[in-house]
Coordinates of all heavy atoms in Angstrom, one line a residue:
N350 N 8.8 6.0 -28.8 CA 8.4 7.2 -29.6 C 7.8 6.7 -30.9 O 8.4 6.5 -31.9 CB 9.5 8.2 -29.9 CG 10.6 7.5 -30.7 OD1 10.8 6.4 -30.6 ND2 11.2 8.4 -31.5
K351 N 6.5 6.3 -30.8 CA 5.8 5.8 -32.0 C 5.7 6.9 -33.0 O 5.5 8.1 -32.7 CB 4.4 5.3 -31.6 CG 4.4 4.1 -30.7 CD 3.0 3.6 -30.4 CE 3.0 2.4 -29.5 NZ 1.7 1.9 -29.2
Q352 N 5.8 6.5 -34.2 CA 5.6 7.4 -35.4 C 4.3 8.1 -35.3 O 3.3 7.3 -35.4 CB 6.0 6.9 -36.7 CG 6.1 7.9 -37.9 CD 6.7 7.2 -39.1 OE1 6.8 5.9 -39.1 NE2 6.8 8.0 -40.2
S353 N 4.2 9.3 -35.4 CA 2.9 10.1 -35.3 C 2.5 10.6 -36.7 O 3.4 11.1 -37.4 CB 2.9 11.2 -34.3 OG 1.8 11.9 -34.3
N354 N 1.2 10.7 -37.0 CA 0.7 11.3 -38.1 C 0.1 12.7 -37.9 O -0.5 13.3 -38.8 CB -0.5 10.4 -38.7 CG 0.0 9.1 -39.3 OD1 1.1 8.9 -39.7 ND2 -0.9 8.0 -39.0
Q355 N 0.5 13.2 -36.8 CA 0.1 14.6 -36.4 C 0.5 15.6 -37.5 O -0.2 16.5 -37.8 CB 0.6 14.9 -35.0 CG 0.2 16.3 -34.6 CD 0.6 16.7 -33.2 OE1 1.5 15.9 -32.6 NE2 0.4 17.8 -32.7
Y356 N 1.8 15.5 -37.8 CA 2.3 16.6 -38.7 C 1.6 16.5 -40.1 O 1.4 17.5 -40.9 CB 3.7 16.6 -38.8 CG 4.5 17.0 -37.5 CD1 5.3 16.0 -36.8 CD2 4.5 18.3 -37.1 CE1 5.8 16.4 -35.6 CE2 5.1 18.6 -36.0 CZ 5.8 17.7 -35.3 OH 6.4 18.1 -34.0
I357 N 1.4 15.2 -40.5 CA 0.7 15.0 -41.8 C -0.7 15.6 -41.8 O -1.2 16.2 -42.7 CB 0.7 13.5 -42.1 CG1 2.2 12.9 -42.3 CG2 -0.1 13.3 -43.4 CD1 2.1 11.5 -42.4
L358 N -1.4 15.3 -40.7 CA -2.8 15.9 -40.6 C -2.7 17.4 -40.6 O -3.6 18.1 -41.2 CB -3.5 15.3 -39.3 CG -4.8 15.9 -39.0 CD1 -5.7 15.4 -40.2 CD2 -5.4 15.2 -37.8
M359 N -1.8 18.0 -39.8 CA -1.7 19.4 -39.7 C -1.3 20.0 -41.1 O -1.9 21.0 -41.5 CB -0.6 19.9 -38.7 CG -0.9 19.5 -37.3 SD 0.4 19.8 -36.1 CE 0.8 21.6 -36.4
S360 N -0.5 19.3 -41.8 CA -0.2 19.7 -43.2 C -1.4 19.7 -44.1 O -1.5 20.7 -44.9 CB 1.0 18.9 -43.7 OG 1.2 19.2 -45.1
F361 N -2.2 18.7 -44.0 CA -3.4 18.6 -44.8 C -4.3 19.8 -44.6 O -4.8 20.4 -45.5 CB -4.1 17.3 -44.6 CG -5.4 17.1 -45.3 CD1 -5.4 16.8 -46.6 CD2 -6.6 17.4 -44.6 CE1 -6.8 16.7 -47.3 CE2 -7.8 17.2 -45.2 CZ -7.9 17.0 -46.6
V362 N -4.6 20.1 -43.3 CA -5.5 21.1 -43.0 C -5.0 22.4 -43.4 O -5.7 23.3 -44.0 CB -5.8 21.1 -41.4 CG1 -6.7 22.4 -41.1 CG2 -6.5 19.8 -41.0
A363 N -3.7 22.7 -43.1 CA -3.1 24.0 -43.4 C -3.0 24.2 -44.9 O -3.4 25.2 -45.4 CB -1.7 24.0 -42.9
S364 N -2.6 23.1 -45.7 CA -2.6 23.3 -47.2 C -4.0 23.5 -47.8 O -4.1 24.3 -48.8 CB -1.9 22.0 -47.8 OG -2.6 20.9 -47.5
L365 N -4.9 22.9 -47.2 CA -6.3 23.1 -47.7 C -6.9 24.5 -47.4 O -7.4 25.1 -48.4 CB -7.3 22.1 -46.9 CG -8.8 22.2 -47.4 CD1 -8.9 21.9 -48.8 CD2 -9.6 21.2 -46.5
V366 N -6.6 25.0 -46.2 CA -6.9 26.5 -46.0 C -6.2 27.4 -46.9 O -6.7 28.3 -47.5 CB -6.6 26.8 -44.5 CG1 -6.9 28.2 -44.2 CG2 -7.6 25.9 -43.6
I367 N -4.9 27.2 -47.1 CA -4.1 28.1 -47.9 C -4.5 28.0 -49.4 O -4.6 29.0 -50.2 CB -2.6 27.7 -47.7 CG1 -2.1 28.0 -46.3 CG2 -1.7 28.5 -48.8 CD1 -0.7 27.5 -46.1
G368 N -4.8 26.8 -49.8 CA -5.3 26.6 -51.2 C -6.5 27.2 -51.4 O -6.7 27.9 -52.6
I369 N -7.5 27.1 -50.5 CA -8.8 28.0 -50.7 C -8.5 29.4 -50.7 O -9.1 30.2 -51.5 CB -9.7 27.5 -49.6 CG1 -10.2 26.2 -49.8 CG2 -11.1 28.5 -49.6 CD1 -11.0 25.6 -48.7
G370 N -7.6 29.9 -49.8 CA -7.3 31.3 -49.7 C -6.7 31.7 -51.1 O -6.9 32.9 -51.5
V371 N -5.8 30.9 -51.7 CA -5.1 31.3 -52.9 C -6.1 31.4 -54.1 O -6.2 32.3 -54.9 CB -4.0 30.3 -53.3 CG1 -3.6 30.6 -54.8 CG2 -2.8 30.5 -52.3
A372 N -7.1 30.5 -54.1 CA -8.2 30.5 -55.0 C -9.0 31.7 -55.0 O -9.3 32.4 -56.1 CB -9.0 29.2 -55.0
L373 N -9.5 32.1 -53.9 CA -10.1 33.3 -53.6 C -9.3 34.6 -54.0 O -9.9 35.6 -54.5 CB -10.6 33.4 -52.2 CG -11.6 32.4 -51.7 CD1 -11.8 32.6 -50.1 CD2 -12.9 32.4 -52.5
L374 N -8.0 34.5 -53.7 CA -7.2 35.7 -54.1 C -7.1 35.9 -55.6 O -7.2 36.9 -56.1 CB -5.9 35.5 -53.4 CG -4.7 36.6 -53.9 CD1 -5.2 38.0 -53.2 CD2 -3.5 36.3 -53.2
L375 N -6.9 34.8 -56.3 CA -6.8 34.8 -57.7 C -8.0 35.3 -58.3 O -7.9 36.0 -59.3 CB -6.4 33.3 -58.2 CG -5.0 32.9 -57.9 CD1 -4.8 31.5 -58.5 CD2 -4.0 33.7 -58.5
D376 N -9.2 34.9 -57.7 CA -10.4 35.4 -58.2 C -10.6 36.8 -58.0 O -11.2 37.4 -58.9 CB -11.6 34.5 -57.6 CG -12.9 34.9 -58.3 OD1 -13.3 34.4 -59.4 OD2 -13.7 35.6 -57.7
S377 N -10.2 37.3 -56.9 CA -10.4 38.7 -56.6 C -9.6 39.7 -57.5 O -10.0 40.8 -57.8 CB -10.0 39.0 -55.1 OG -8.7 38.8 -54.9
I378 N -8.4 39.2 -57.9 CA -7.5 40.0 -58.7 C -7.8 39.9 -60.2 O -7.2 40.5 -61.0 CB -6.0 39.8 -58.5 CG1 -5.7 38.3 -58.8 CG2 -5.6 40.1 -57.0 CD1 -4.2 38.0 -58.6
D379 N -8.7 38.9 -60.5 CA -9.2 38.7 -61.9 C -10.3 39.7 -62.3 O -11.4 39.5 -61.7 CB -9.7 37.2 -62.0 CG -10.0 37.0 -63.6 OD1 -9.8 37.8 -64.4 OD2 -10.5 35.8 -63.8
D380 N -10.0 40.7 -63.1 CA -10.9 41.7 -63.4 C -11.8 41.5 -64.6 O -12.4 42.4 -65.2 CB -10.4 43.1 -63.5 CG -9.1 43.0 -64.6 OD1 -9.0 42.0 -65.2 OD2 -8.5 44.1 -64.8
T381 N -11.8 40.1 -65.1 CA -12.6 40.0 -66.3 C -14.2 39.9 -65.7 O -14.4 39.5 -64.8 CB -12.2 38.6 -66.9 OG1 -12.3 37.5 -65.9 CG2 -10.8 38.7 -67.5
L382 N -15.1 40.1 -66.8 CA -16.4 40.1 -66.5 C -16.9 38.6 -66.6 O -16.7 38.0 -67.7 CB -17.3 40.9 -67.5 CG -16.8 42.4 -67.5 CD1 -17.6 43.2 -68.4 CD2 -17.0 43.0 -66.1
K383 N -17.5 38.0 -65.6 CA -17.8 36.7 -65.5 C -19.3 36.3 -65.6 O -19.7 35.3 -65.9 CB -17.3 36.1 -64.4 CG -15.7 36.3 -64.0 CD -15.2 35.7 -62.9 CE -13.8 36.1 -62.5 NZ -13.8 37.6 -62.3
S384 N -20.1 37.4 -65.2 CA -21.6 37.1 -65.2 C -22.4 38.3 -65.5 O -21.9 39.5 -65.7 CB -21.9 36.7 -63.8 OG -21.7 37.8 -62.8
K385 N -23.7 38.2 -65.6 CA -24.6 39.2 -65.9 C -24.5 40.4 -64.8 O -24.7 41.5 -65.1 CB -26.0 38.8 -66.1 CG -26.2 37.9 -67.3 CD -27.7 37.5 -67.5 CE -28.1 36.6 -66.2 NZ -29.5 36.1 -66.5
E386 N -24.3 39.8 -63.6 CA -24.2 40.8 -62.5 C -23.0 41.7 -62.6 O -23.1 43.0 -62.3 CB -24.2 40.1 -61.1 CG -25.5 39.4 -60.7 CD -25.8 38.2 -61.6 OE1 -24.8 37.7 -62.3 OE2 -27.0 37.8 -61.6
D387 N -21.9 41.1 -63.1 CA -20.6 41.9 -63.3 C -20.9 43.0 -64.3 O -20.4 44.2 -64.2 CB -19.5 41.1 -63.6 CG -19.1 40.1 -62.6 OD1 -19.5 40.4 -61.4 OD2 -18.4 39.1 -62.8
I388 N -21.6 42.8 -65.4 CA -21.9 43.7 -66.4 C -22.8 44.8 -65.9 O -22.6 46.0 -66.2 CB -22.5 43.0 -67.6 CG1 -21.5 42.0 -68.3 CG2 -22.9 44.0 -68.7 CD1 -22.1 41.1 -69.4
R389 N -23.8 44.4 -65.2 CA -24.7 45.4 -64.6 C -24.0 46.3 -63.7 O -24.2 47.5 -63.7 CB -25.9 44.7 -63.9 CG -26.9 45.6 -63.4 CD -28.1 44.8 -62.7 NE -27.6 43.9 -61.7 CZ -27.3 44.3 -60.5 NH1 -27.6 45.6 -60.1 NH2 -27.1 43.4 -59.7
L390 N -23.1 45.8 -62.8 CA -22.4 46.7 -61.9 C -21.4 47.6 -62.6 O -21.3 48.7 -62.1 CB -21.7 45.8 -60.8 CG -22.5 45.0 -59.8 CD1 -21.7 44.0 -59.0 CD2 -23.3 46.0 -58.9
V391 N -20.8 47.1 -63.6 CA -19.7 47.9 -64.2 C -20.3 48.9 -65.2 O -19.9 50.1 -65.2 CB -18.7 47.0 -65.0 CG1 -17.7 47.8 -65.8 CG2 -18.0 46.1 -64.0
F392 N -21.2 48.5 -66.1 CA -21.7 49.4 -67.1 C -23.1 50.0 -66.8 O -23.5 50.9 -67.5 CB -21.8 48.6 -68.4 CG -20.5 48.1 -69.1 CD1 -20.2 46.9 -68.9 CD2 -19.7 49.0 -69.6 CE1 -18.9 46.3 -69.4 CE2 -18.5 48.5 -70.2 CZ -18.1 47.2 -70.0
E393 N -23.7 49.5 -65.7 CA -25.0 50.0 -65.3 C -26.0 49.9 -66.3 O -26.8 50.7 -66.6 CB -25.0 51.4 -64.8 CG -24.0 51.6 -63.5 CD -24.0 53.1 -63.1 OE1 -24.6 53.9 -63.8 OE2 -23.4 53.4 -62.0
L394 N -25.9 48.7 -67.1 CA -26.9 48.5 -68.2 C -27.4 47.0 -68.0 O -26.7 46.1 -67.5 CB -26.2 48.6 -69.6 CG -25.6 50.0 -69.9 CD1 -24.9 50.0 -71.2 CD2 -26.9 50.9 -70.1
P395 N -28.7 46.8 -68.5 CA -29.2 45.5 -68.4 C -28.6 44.6 -69.5 O -28.1 45.0 -70.6 CB -30.7 45.6 -68.6 CG -30.8 46.8 -69.5 CD -29.6 47.8 -69.0
T396 N -28.7 43.2 -69.3 CA -28.1 42.3 -70.3 C -29.2 42.0 -71.3 O -30.4 41.5 -70.8 CB -27.6 41.0 -69.6 OG1 -26.6 41.5 -68.6 CG2 -27.0 40.1 -70.6
L397 N -29.1 42.2 -72.6 CA -30.1 41.9 -73.5 C -30.1 40.4 -73.9 O -31.2 39.7 -74.2 CB -29.9 42.7 -74.8 CG -30.0 44.2 -74.5 CD1 -29.7 45.0 -75.9 CD2 -31.4 44.6 -73.9
A398 N -28.9 39.8 -74.1 CA -28.8 38.4 -74.4 C -27.5 37.8 -73.9 O -26.6 38.6 -73.7 CB -28.9 38.3 -76.0
V399 N -27.5 36.4 -73.9 CA -26.4 35.7 -73.5 C -26.0 34.7 -74.5 O -26.9 34.0 -74.9 CB -26.5 35.1 -72.1 CG1 -25.4 34.3 -71.8 CG2 -26.8 36.1 -71.1
I400 N -24.8 34.8 -75.0 CA -24.3 33.7 -75.9 C -23.4 32.7 -75.1 O -22.5 33.0 -74.6 CB -23.5 34.3 -77.0 CG1 -24.1 35.5 -77.8 CG2 -22.9 33.3 -77.9 CD1 -23.3 36.2 -78.8

Side-chain angles (χ1 to χ4, degrees):
N350 62 331
K351 295 182 179 179
Q352 188 172 6
S353 175
N354 295 325
Q355 178 181 1
Y356 292 110
I357 298 176
L358 180 61
M359 292 174 60
S360 172
F361 173 79
V362 175
S364 59
L365 179 61
V366 173
I367 295 174
I369 294 175
V371 170
L373 295 175
L374 177 63
L375 292 176
D376 186 77
S377 64
I378 62 178
D379 184 3
D380 57 359
T381 58
L382 302 177
K383 309 177 189 64
S384 63
K385 295 184 292 184
E386 289 74 14
D387 294 342
I388 297 175
R389 181 176 57 82
L390 292 174
V391 174
F392 297 102
E393 297 182 355
L394 294 173
T396 304
L397 299 179
V399 177
I400 301 175

